[in-house]
Amino acid sequence: MKNLHDEKEVLQEERSILTAPLQRRSFLQFAGAGAAGIALIAAGCKKDKHIDDGAGNMGGVTLDFKDDLGVLNYAYALEQLEAAFYIQVAATPYANISAPELAYFKDIQFHEIAHREFFKNALGQAAIAGLEVDFSKINFADRTSVLGTAKAFEDLGVSAYNGAGKLLKSTAYLTLAGKIVSVEARHAAYIRELISPNSFSNVEVVDAVNGLDKSRDPKAVLAIAGGFVKTKINVINL
């Protein structure tokens, strides 16, 4: 099982991933750097199954929340969705996109790819299979459609991490989740500014009384995200 020494190693190794200055593609070289630490911890624990149906699409994937690995797979699933979306946005920019907006979307693309690859490498054989996305509802040639979807994904991501934090037992994993959700919140604020200036603290996402971002439990998050994923996602032990 993991111990305090193991958790400190994880935090030290992931520092280059989540705190190093972003240099676009060079950022990706760090994606696997901290994964070894988490993989070592996972190896000392009861492993989750890599659930697949053999054909790749009939039985889908299962998120088993019996331990921290299930929560990490949950985050991995969401990061797969976000990465796929921003890769498409950067590859097929909408009409008349400004240079600053295109640069932003390219940067956020690399953030999300790094998050996705970090979880994939960290989980190793415990990782769920890759998800097949469905973006048929999105018009990538239209700014309003892209920004509206980006806002929905970013707000959903922040609420997902906030809602899943209480399920984590490892303080190392909780710290990692906190560092990632803060990046997602920066994305969310920027997207809201593009859509409507001074809307970054909109009451839709921030509790006006307590000044806290809202949270959603995994079932609520997956019900929303499921509209953009073809792969069936099963949830157990939640």
Side-chain angles (χ1 to χ4, degrees), residues 55-58 60-61 77 80-81 84 128-136 225-233:
N57 54 19
M58 290 179 61
V61 299
Q80 286 188 54
L81 178 61
I128 60 172
L131 303 180
E132 184 179 2
V133 298
D134 179 6
F135 292 149
S136 59
F228 300 92
V229 179
K230 291 183 180 179
T231 307
K232 181 181 178 181
I233 301 177

Short mmCIF file of all heavy atoms in Angstrom, two decimals, residues 55-58 60-61 77 80-81 84 128-136 225-233:
data_model
loop_
_atom_site.label_atom_id
_atom_site.label_comp_id
_atom_site.label_asym_id
_atom_site.label_seq_id
_atom_site.Cartn_x
_atom_site.Cartn_y
_atom_site.Cartn_z
N ALA A 55 -14.21 -6.26 -28.29
CA ALA A 55 -14.51 -5.67 -29.58
C ALA A 55 -14.30 -4.17 -29.55
O ALA A 55 -14.23 -3.52 -30.58
CB ALA A 55 -15.95 -5.97 -29.98
N GLY A 56 -14.22 -3.61 -28.36
CA GLY A 56 -13.91 -2.19 -28.23
C GLY A 56 -15.10 -1.27 -28.12
O GLY A 56 -14.96 -0.10 -27.83
N ASN A 57 -16.32 -1.78 -28.37
CA ASN A 57 -17.44 -0.84 -28.34
C ASN A 57 -18.76 -1.42 -27.81
O ASN A 57 -19.71 -0.70 -27.65
CB ASN A 57 -17.69 -0.25 -29.74
CG ASN A 57 -17.89 -1.34 -30.78
OD1 ASN A 57 -18.18 -2.48 -30.44
ND2 ASN A 57 -17.72 -0.98 -32.04
N MET A 58 -18.85 -2.72 -27.57
CA MET A 58 -20.13 -3.29 -27.15
C MET A 58 -20.44 -3.06 -25.68
O MET A 58 -21.50 -2.58 -25.33
CB MET A 58 -20.15 -4.79 -27.46
CG MET A 58 -20.20 -5.10 -28.96
SD MET A 58 -20.19 -6.87 -29.30
CE MET A 58 -21.69 -7.37 -28.49
N GLY A 60 -18.61 -1.16 -23.61
CA GLY A 60 -18.16 0.14 -23.14
C GLY A 60 -17.09 0.02 -22.06
O GLY A 60 -16.32 -0.94 -22.03
N VAL A 61 -17.04 0.99 -21.17
CA VAL A 61 -16.07 1.01 -20.08
C VAL A 61 -16.81 1.15 -18.76
O VAL A 61 -17.94 1.62 -18.72
CB VAL A 61 -15.05 2.16 -20.24
CG1 VAL A 61 -14.26 2.01 -21.53
CG2 VAL A 61 -15.75 3.51 -20.20
N ALA A 77 -11.44 10.06 -18.09
CA ALA A 77 -12.51 10.07 -19.08
C ALA A 77 -12.89 11.49 -19.48
O ALA A 77 -13.05 11.81 -20.66
CB ALA A 77 -13.74 9.34 -18.52
N GLN A 80 -10.19 13.07 -21.59
CA GLN A 80 -10.24 12.58 -22.97
C GLN A 80 -11.22 13.41 -23.79
O GLN A 80 -10.94 13.80 -24.93
CB GLN A 80 -10.67 11.11 -22.99
CG GLN A 80 -9.64 10.12 -22.55
CD GLN A 80 -10.11 8.69 -22.80
OE1 GLN A 80 -10.49 8.34 -23.93
NE2 GLN A 80 -10.11 7.86 -21.77
N LEU A 81 -12.37 13.67 -23.22
CA LEU A 81 -13.41 14.43 -23.92
C LEU A 81 -12.95 15.84 -24.22
O LEU A 81 -13.08 16.34 -25.35
CB LEU A 81 -14.69 14.45 -23.07
CG LEU A 81 -15.86 15.26 -23.63
CD1 LEU A 81 -16.32 14.70 -24.96
CD2 LEU A 81 -17.02 15.27 -22.62
N ALA A 84 -10.11 15.94 -26.90
CA ALA A 84 -10.63 15.70 -28.24
C ALA A 84 -11.32 16.93 -28.80
O ALA A 84 -11.17 17.27 -29.99
CB ALA A 84 -11.60 14.52 -28.21
N ILE A 128 -8.95 2.93 -18.09
CA ILE A 128 -10.06 2.51 -18.95
C ILE A 128 -9.63 2.66 -20.41
O ILE A 128 -8.64 3.33 -20.72
CB ILE A 128 -11.33 3.35 -18.69
CG1 ILE A 128 -11.05 4.84 -18.97
CG2 ILE A 128 -11.86 3.11 -17.30
CD1 ILE A 128 -12.30 5.71 -18.93
N ALA A 129 -10.38 2.04 -21.31
CA ALA A 129 -10.09 2.15 -22.73
C ALA A 129 -10.39 3.56 -23.22
O ALA A 129 -11.10 4.33 -22.56
CB ALA A 129 -10.92 1.13 -23.51
N GLY A 130 -9.84 3.90 -24.38
CA GLY A 130 -10.10 5.22 -24.95
C GLY A 130 -11.57 5.36 -25.33
O GLY A 130 -12.20 4.41 -25.78
N LEU A 131 -12.10 6.56 -25.13
CA LEU A 131 -13.51 6.82 -25.42
C LEU A 131 -13.69 7.29 -26.86
O LEU A 131 -12.84 7.99 -27.41
CB LEU A 131 -14.06 7.87 -24.47
CG LEU A 131 -13.96 7.60 -22.97
CD1 LEU A 131 -14.56 8.75 -22.19
CD2 LEU A 131 -14.64 6.28 -22.61
N GLU A 132 -14.82 6.93 -27.45
CA GLU A 132 -15.18 7.43 -28.77
C GLU A 132 -16.13 8.60 -28.59
O GLU A 132 -17.20 8.45 -27.99
CB GLU A 132 -15.84 6.35 -29.61
CG GLU A 132 -16.16 6.79 -31.03
CD GLU A 132 -16.80 5.70 -31.88
OE1 GLU A 132 -17.04 4.60 -31.34
OE2 GLU A 132 -17.08 5.97 -33.07
N VAL A 133 -15.75 9.77 -29.07
CA VAL A 133 -16.56 10.97 -28.86
C VAL A 133 -17.56 11.17 -29.99
O VAL A 133 -17.43 10.59 -31.07
CB VAL A 133 -15.67 12.23 -28.74
CG1 VAL A 133 -14.75 12.11 -27.53
CG2 VAL A 133 -14.86 12.46 -30.01
N ASP A 134 -18.54 11.99 -29.72
CA ASP A 134 -19.58 12.33 -30.70
C ASP A 134 -19.80 13.83 -30.66
O ASP A 134 -20.48 14.36 -29.78
CB ASP A 134 -20.88 11.59 -30.38
CG ASP A 134 -22.01 11.93 -31.35
OD1 ASP A 134 -21.74 12.65 -32.34
OD2 ASP A 134 -23.15 11.50 -31.12
N PHE A 135 -19.22 14.53 -31.63
CA PHE A 135 -19.33 15.99 -31.69
C PHE A 135 -20.28 16.44 -32.81
O PHE A 135 -20.16 17.55 -33.31
CB PHE A 135 -17.96 16.62 -31.90
CG PHE A 135 -17.02 16.45 -30.72
CD1 PHE A 135 -15.66 16.35 -30.92
CD2 PHE A 135 -17.51 16.40 -29.43
CE1 PHE A 135 -14.79 16.21 -29.83
CE2 PHE A 135 -16.66 16.25 -28.34
CZ PHE A 135 -15.29 16.16 -28.54
N SER A 136 -21.20 15.58 -33.17
CA SER A 136 -22.11 15.89 -34.27
C SER A 136 -23.02 17.09 -33.97
O SER A 136 -23.55 17.73 -34.89
CB SER A 136 -22.98 14.67 -34.60
OG SER A 136 -23.73 14.25 -33.48
N ALA A 225 -22.03 14.80 -19.85
CA ALA A 225 -20.93 14.47 -20.77
C ALA A 225 -21.32 13.37 -21.74
O ALA A 225 -20.82 13.32 -22.88
CB ALA A 225 -19.70 14.04 -19.97
N GLY A 226 -22.25 12.50 -21.31
CA GLY A 226 -22.66 11.38 -22.14
C GLY A 226 -23.24 11.79 -23.48
O GLY A 226 -23.22 11.01 -24.44
N GLY A 227 -23.73 13.01 -23.56
CA GLY A 227 -24.28 13.49 -24.82
C GLY A 227 -23.22 13.70 -25.89
O GLY A 227 -23.56 13.90 -27.06
N PHE A 228 -21.95 13.65 -25.49
CA PHE A 228 -20.85 13.86 -26.42
C PHE A 228 -19.93 12.64 -26.52
O PHE A 228 -18.84 12.72 -27.07
CB PHE A 228 -20.03 15.07 -26.00
CG PHE A 228 -20.81 16.36 -25.97
CD1 PHE A 228 -21.43 16.79 -24.81
CD2 PHE A 228 -20.96 17.12 -27.13
CE1 PHE A 228 -22.16 17.97 -24.78
CE2 PHE A 228 -21.69 18.30 -27.12
CZ PHE A 228 -22.30 18.73 -25.94
N VAL A 229 -20.38 11.52 -25.96
CA VAL A 229 -19.56 10.31 -25.95
C VAL A 229 -20.37 9.14 -26.49
O VAL A 229 -21.48 8.86 -26.02
CB VAL A 229 -19.08 9.97 -24.52
CG1 VAL A 229 -18.25 8.69 -24.53
CG2 VAL A 229 -18.26 11.11 -23.95
N LYS A 230 -19.83 8.43 -27.49
CA LYS A 230 -20.49 7.26 -28.04
C LYS A 230 -20.30 6.03 -27.17
O LYS A 230 -21.18 5.19 -27.06
CB LYS A 230 -19.95 6.97 -29.45
CG LYS A 230 -20.31 7.99 -30.51
CD LYS A 230 -19.78 7.57 -31.86
CE LYS A 230 -20.15 8.58 -32.93
NZ LYS A 230 -19.62 8.19 -34.27
N THR A 231 -19.14 5.93 -26.54
CA THR A 231 -18.82 4.78 -25.71
C THR A 231 -19.74 4.75 -24.48
O THR A 231 -19.94 5.75 -23.82
CB THR A 231 -17.36 4.85 -25.22
OG1 THR A 231 -16.50 5.02 -26.34
CG2 THR A 231 -16.98 3.58 -24.46
N LYS A 232 -20.29 3.58 -24.20
CA LYS A 232 -21.12 3.44 -23.02
C LYS A 232 -20.24 3.48 -21.76
O LYS A 232 -19.24 2.78 -21.67
CB LYS A 232 -21.88 2.12 -23.06
CG LYS A 232 -22.79 1.89 -21.86
CD LYS A 232 -23.51 0.55 -21.95
CE LYS A 232 -24.39 0.33 -20.72
NZ LYS A 232 -25.07 -0.99 -20.76
N ILE A 233 -20.62 4.31 -20.80
CA ILE A 233 -19.87 4.41 -19.54
C ILE A 233 -20.73 3.89 -18.41
O ILE A 233 -21.80 4.44 -18.11
CB ILE A 233 -19.44 5.87 -19.27
CG1 ILE A 233 -18.57 6.39 -20.41
CG2 ILE A 233 -18.69 5.95 -17.95
CD1 ILE A 233 -18.16 7.85 -20.27
#
